[in-house]
Short mmCIF file of all heavy atoms in Angstrom, two decimals:
data_model
loop_
_atom_site.label_atom_id
_atom_site.label_comp_id
_atom_site.label_asym_id
_atom_site.label_seq_id
_atom_site.Cartn_x
_atom_site.Cartn_y
_atom_site.Cartn_z
N ILE A 1 -6.77 -11.16 16.82
CA ILE A 1 -5.34 -11.02 16.87
C ILE A 1 -4.75 -11.38 15.52
O ILE A 1 -5.22 -12.28 14.83
CB ILE A 1 -4.73 -11.96 17.99
CG1 ILE A 1 -3.24 -11.65 18.19
CG2 ILE A 1 -4.97 -13.42 17.68
CD1 ILE A 1 -2.62 -12.35 19.39
N SER A 2 -3.70 -10.66 15.15
CA SER A 2 -3.01 -10.94 13.89
C SER A 2 -1.57 -10.52 14.05
O SER A 2 -1.20 -9.80 14.96
CB SER A 2 -3.69 -10.21 12.72
OG SER A 2 -3.65 -8.81 12.92
N ARG A 3 -0.74 -10.98 13.10
CA ARG A 3 0.67 -10.57 13.10
C ARG A 3 1.15 -10.33 11.67
O ARG A 3 0.76 -11.04 10.76
CB ARG A 3 1.55 -11.58 13.83
CG ARG A 3 1.71 -12.94 13.14
CD ARG A 3 2.35 -13.98 14.05
NE ARG A 3 3.75 -13.66 14.37
CZ ARG A 3 4.45 -14.28 15.31
NH1 ARG A 3 3.89 -15.27 16.04
NH2 ARG A 3 5.72 -13.96 15.52
N ASP A 4 2.01 -9.36 11.56
CA ASP A 4 2.64 -9.04 10.29
C ASP A 4 4.12 -9.33 10.49
O ASP A 4 4.85 -8.53 11.10
CB ASP A 4 2.41 -7.57 9.92
CG ASP A 4 2.94 -7.24 8.53
OD1 ASP A 4 3.89 -7.91 8.07
OD2 ASP A 4 2.41 -6.30 7.92
N ASN A 5 4.57 -10.49 10.03
CA ASN A 5 5.94 -10.91 10.27
C ASN A 5 6.95 -9.99 9.56
O ASN A 5 8.05 -9.80 10.08
CB ASN A 5 6.12 -12.37 9.81
CG ASN A 5 5.36 -13.33 10.67
OD1 ASN A 5 5.14 -13.10 11.84
ND2 ASN A 5 4.94 -14.46 10.06
N ALA A 6 6.59 -9.44 8.42
CA ALA A 6 7.48 -8.54 7.72
C ALA A 6 7.72 -7.26 8.52
O ALA A 6 8.80 -6.66 8.44
CB ALA A 6 6.94 -8.23 6.35
N LYS A 7 6.72 -6.81 9.27
CA LYS A 7 6.81 -5.59 10.08
C LYS A 7 7.16 -5.87 11.53
O LYS A 7 7.29 -4.91 12.29
CB LYS A 7 5.52 -4.82 9.99
CG LYS A 7 5.19 -4.24 8.62
CD LYS A 7 3.92 -3.40 8.67
CE LYS A 7 3.62 -2.79 7.35
NZ LYS A 7 2.41 -1.93 7.37
N ASN A 8 7.30 -7.12 11.88
CA ASN A 8 7.56 -7.50 13.30
C ASN A 8 6.56 -6.87 14.23
O ASN A 8 6.91 -6.36 15.31
CB ASN A 8 8.99 -7.09 13.69
CG ASN A 8 10.06 -7.88 12.96
OD1 ASN A 8 9.84 -8.99 12.54
ND2 ASN A 8 11.23 -7.29 12.81
N THR A 9 5.29 -6.96 13.86
CA THR A 9 4.24 -6.31 14.60
C THR A 9 3.05 -7.24 14.79
O THR A 9 2.68 -7.98 13.88
CB THR A 9 3.76 -5.03 13.89
OG1 THR A 9 4.90 -4.13 13.73
CG2 THR A 9 2.68 -4.32 14.68
N VAL A 10 2.47 -7.19 16.01
CA VAL A 10 1.27 -7.94 16.34
C VAL A 10 0.16 -6.95 16.65
O VAL A 10 0.41 -5.88 17.22
CB VAL A 10 1.53 -8.84 17.55
CG1 VAL A 10 0.24 -9.61 17.93
CG2 VAL A 10 2.64 -9.84 17.25
N TYR A 11 -1.06 -7.30 16.27
CA TYR A 11 -2.19 -6.40 16.46
C TYR A 11 -3.29 -7.09 17.26
O TYR A 11 -3.44 -8.30 17.24
CB TYR A 11 -2.77 -5.97 15.12
CG TYR A 11 -1.77 -5.32 14.19
CD1 TYR A 11 -1.12 -6.07 13.22
CD2 TYR A 11 -1.49 -3.98 14.31
CE1 TYR A 11 -0.21 -5.48 12.36
CE2 TYR A 11 -0.57 -3.38 13.45
CZ TYR A 11 0.06 -4.15 12.48
OH TYR A 11 0.97 -3.54 11.64
N LEU A 12 -4.05 -6.28 17.95
CA LEU A 12 -5.28 -6.73 18.58
C LEU A 12 -6.37 -5.78 18.17
O LEU A 12 -6.38 -4.62 18.62
CB LEU A 12 -5.15 -6.80 20.10
CG LEU A 12 -6.36 -7.40 20.82
CD1 LEU A 12 -6.50 -8.90 20.48
CD2 LEU A 12 -6.27 -7.21 22.33
N GLN A 13 -7.28 -6.22 17.30
CA GLN A 13 -8.40 -5.41 16.87
C GLN A 13 -9.57 -5.69 17.78
O GLN A 13 -10.03 -6.81 17.89
CB GLN A 13 -8.75 -5.75 15.43
CG GLN A 13 -7.59 -5.49 14.44
CD GLN A 13 -7.94 -5.99 13.05
OE1 GLN A 13 -8.89 -5.49 12.44
NE2 GLN A 13 -7.19 -6.93 12.55
N MET A 14 -10.05 -4.65 18.44
CA MET A 14 -11.11 -4.76 19.42
C MET A 14 -12.35 -4.02 18.94
O MET A 14 -12.27 -2.87 18.54
CB MET A 14 -10.68 -4.21 20.78
CG MET A 14 -9.37 -4.86 21.28
SD MET A 14 -8.94 -4.26 22.93
CE MET A 14 -8.58 -2.56 22.60
N THR A 15 -13.47 -4.70 18.98
CA THR A 15 -14.76 -4.11 18.58
C THR A 15 -15.80 -4.37 19.67
O THR A 15 -15.58 -5.18 20.56
CB THR A 15 -15.24 -4.68 17.24
OG1 THR A 15 -15.48 -6.09 17.38
CG2 THR A 15 -14.23 -4.44 16.14
N SER A 16 -16.91 -3.65 19.56
CA SER A 16 -18.02 -3.79 20.51
C SER A 16 -17.53 -3.73 21.95
O SER A 16 -17.85 -4.55 22.79
CB SER A 16 -18.76 -5.10 20.27
OG SER A 16 -19.28 -5.16 18.96
N LEU A 17 -16.74 -2.72 22.23
CA LEU A 17 -16.07 -2.62 23.54
C LEU A 17 -17.10 -2.35 24.66
O LEU A 17 -18.07 -1.63 24.48
CB LEU A 17 -15.02 -1.52 23.51
CG LEU A 17 -13.75 -1.91 22.76
CD1 LEU A 17 -12.92 -0.69 22.43
CD2 LEU A 17 -12.95 -2.92 23.56
N LYS A 18 -16.83 -2.96 25.78
CA LYS A 18 -17.68 -2.88 26.98
C LYS A 18 -16.89 -2.27 28.13
O LYS A 18 -15.66 -2.33 28.13
CB LYS A 18 -18.18 -4.26 27.37
CG LYS A 18 -18.82 -5.04 26.24
CD LYS A 18 -19.07 -6.50 26.68
CE LYS A 18 -19.68 -7.32 25.56
NZ LYS A 18 -19.89 -8.72 25.99
N PRO A 19 -17.58 -1.72 29.13
CA PRO A 19 -16.85 -1.19 30.29
C PRO A 19 -15.93 -2.21 30.95
O PRO A 19 -14.87 -1.84 31.44
CB PRO A 19 -17.97 -0.77 31.23
CG PRO A 19 -19.10 -0.43 30.34
CD PRO A 19 -19.01 -1.44 29.20
N GLU A 20 -16.31 -3.49 30.97
CA GLU A 20 -15.50 -4.50 31.57
C GLU A 20 -14.21 -4.81 30.76
O GLU A 20 -13.35 -5.56 31.24
CB GLU A 20 -16.28 -5.82 31.78
CG GLU A 20 -16.96 -6.34 30.53
CD GLU A 20 -18.41 -5.96 30.50
OE1 GLU A 20 -18.76 -4.79 30.78
OE2 GLU A 20 -19.25 -6.82 30.14
N ASP A 21 -14.09 -4.24 29.60
CA ASP A 21 -12.83 -4.34 28.84
C ASP A 21 -11.79 -3.35 29.31
O ASP A 21 -10.62 -3.41 28.89
CB ASP A 21 -13.08 -4.10 27.35
CG ASP A 21 -13.94 -5.18 26.72
OD1 ASP A 21 -13.76 -6.37 27.04
OD2 ASP A 21 -14.80 -4.82 25.89
N THR A 22 -12.15 -2.46 30.20
CA THR A 22 -11.19 -1.48 30.75
C THR A 22 -10.10 -2.19 31.51
O THR A 22 -10.34 -2.94 32.45
CB THR A 22 -11.93 -0.48 31.66
OG1 THR A 22 -12.86 0.27 30.88
CG2 THR A 22 -10.93 0.48 32.30
N ALA A 23 -8.86 -1.96 31.11
CA ALA A 23 -7.71 -2.62 31.71
C ALA A 23 -6.43 -2.10 31.06
O ALA A 23 -6.47 -1.37 30.07
CB ALA A 23 -7.80 -4.15 31.52
N VAL A 24 -5.31 -2.51 31.62
CA VAL A 24 -4.03 -2.32 30.97
C VAL A 24 -3.80 -3.56 30.08
O VAL A 24 -3.89 -4.69 30.56
CB VAL A 24 -2.87 -2.17 31.95
CG1 VAL A 24 -1.54 -2.05 31.24
CG2 VAL A 24 -3.09 -0.93 32.81
N TYR A 25 -3.50 -3.33 28.83
CA TYR A 25 -3.31 -4.42 27.88
C TYR A 25 -1.82 -4.62 27.62
O TYR A 25 -1.09 -3.66 27.36
CB TYR A 25 -4.03 -4.12 26.57
CG TYR A 25 -5.53 -4.34 26.68
CD1 TYR A 25 -6.30 -3.51 27.50
CD2 TYR A 25 -6.16 -5.41 26.02
CE1 TYR A 25 -7.67 -3.71 27.60
CE2 TYR A 25 -7.51 -5.61 26.13
CZ TYR A 25 -8.26 -4.77 26.94
OH TYR A 25 -9.63 -4.98 27.04
N PHE A 26 -1.39 -5.88 27.69
CA PHE A 26 0.01 -6.25 27.54
C PHE A 26 0.22 -7.17 26.35
O PHE A 26 -0.55 -8.10 26.12
CB PHE A 26 0.51 -6.97 28.79
CG PHE A 26 0.51 -6.14 30.04
CD1 PHE A 26 -0.60 -6.11 30.86
CD2 PHE A 26 1.62 -5.40 30.38
CE1 PHE A 26 -0.60 -5.35 32.03
CE2 PHE A 26 1.64 -4.62 31.52
CZ PHE A 26 0.52 -4.61 32.36
N CYS A 27 1.29 -6.93 25.65
CA CYS A 27 1.76 -7.83 24.60
C CYS A 27 2.87 -8.71 25.20
O CYS A 27 3.65 -8.25 26.03
CB CYS A 27 2.30 -7.02 23.43
SG CYS A 27 3.04 -7.95 22.09
N ALA A 28 2.93 -9.97 24.78
CA ALA A 28 3.94 -10.88 25.29
C ALA A 28 4.43 -11.80 24.21
O ALA A 28 3.74 -12.07 23.23
CB ALA A 28 3.36 -11.70 26.46
N ALA A 29 5.67 -12.30 24.38
CA ALA A 29 6.27 -13.24 23.44
C ALA A 29 6.81 -14.44 24.20
O ALA A 29 7.40 -14.28 25.27
CB ALA A 29 7.41 -12.56 22.67
N GLY A 30 6.64 -15.65 23.62
CA GLY A 30 7.13 -16.84 24.26
C GLY A 30 7.55 -17.90 23.29
O GLY A 30 7.03 -17.99 22.17
N LEU A 31 8.52 -18.72 23.72
CA LEU A 31 8.94 -19.89 22.98
C LEU A 31 8.33 -21.09 23.67
O LEU A 31 8.66 -21.43 24.78
CB LEU A 31 10.46 -20.01 22.95
CG LEU A 31 11.21 -18.96 22.13
CD1 LEU A 31 12.70 -19.06 22.41
CD2 LEU A 31 10.92 -19.13 20.67
#
């Protein structure tokens, strides 16, 4: 996981993906 504050963007880089990684992926923000 990483974030680029200048671009207001968060990333999730996924490698070595497996069938059990199949899902709906959600981004969230919290204070």
Side-chain angles (χ1 to χ4, degrees):
I1 188 171
S2 62
R3 68 192 293 169
D4 186 334
N5 293 330
K7 294 184 177 180
N8 293 333
T9 301
V10 179
Y11 304 96
L12 185 68
Q13 301 174 61
M14 306 185 293
T15 62
S16 301
L17 286 164
K18 308 171 182 179
E20 53 262 44
D21 294 319
T22 296
V24 177
Y25 283 69
F26 296 90
C27 176
L31 291 170

